[in-house]
Amino acid sequence: MTLTGKQAIQRHMQWRMTLQFAATVREKLTAEQMHQIANPQDCAIGRWLAAPETTRRHPAAALANMHARHQDFHDSMTAIARCIESGAYLLAESMLQPGSRFGISSQALALAISTLDRDYPLAIAV
């Protein structure tokens, strides 16, 4: 299966719903969810960034920007997931609000994907 840039953005934005749901209903995340959040290299974008063909096909500066935005997105999700896991649900909910680190990193990642996809259409094999 191959993801387009738009589909990659949609997949990452689904994390907002997953985290929001867990915080709202006071439910822990699964071990698999925690792994995916803590290991950006294991998600579709992370695997794509690590692929040799990606490095050959895309400018290094654009890839470095996308890698940094992707890492920041996962770092912000990790902070929220830790709050959920420790039972600090209200704090987790506040960390998901517009203007939060998560919100800003989500937008930055979406912009980096969109920009790279516009200039060099993405085809992310997952």
Side-chain angles (χ1 to χ4, degrees), residues 35-90:
H35 175 82
Q36 289 178 20
I37 289 168
N39 295 283
Q41 70 278 3
D42 290 344
C43 77
I45 296 291
R47 289 191 306 271
W48 178 81
L49 283 168
E53 60 273 13
T54 300
T55 309
R56 286 193 302 270
R57 186 170 178 238
H58 299 84
L63 287 175
N65 178 56
M66 191 160 144
H67 182 73
R69 302 296 68 84
H70 184 241
Q71 183 65 52
D72 191 48
F73 177 77
H74 277 268
D75 290 347
S76 66
M77 284 198 308
T78 298
I80 296 166
R82 286 183 181 147
C83 287
I84 291 168
E85 289 306 295
S86 70
Y89 298 109
L90 291 175

Side-chain angles (χ1 to χ4, degrees), residues 15 18-19 22 27-39 42 78 81 84-85:
W15 279 113
T18 298
L19 294 168
E27 183 176 285
K28 304 288 187 197
L29 297 164
T30 67
E32 176 65 21
Q33 289 168 327
M34 291 296 291
H35 175 82
Q36 289 178 20
I37 289 168
N39 295 283
D42 290 344
T78 298
I84 291 168
E85 289 306 295

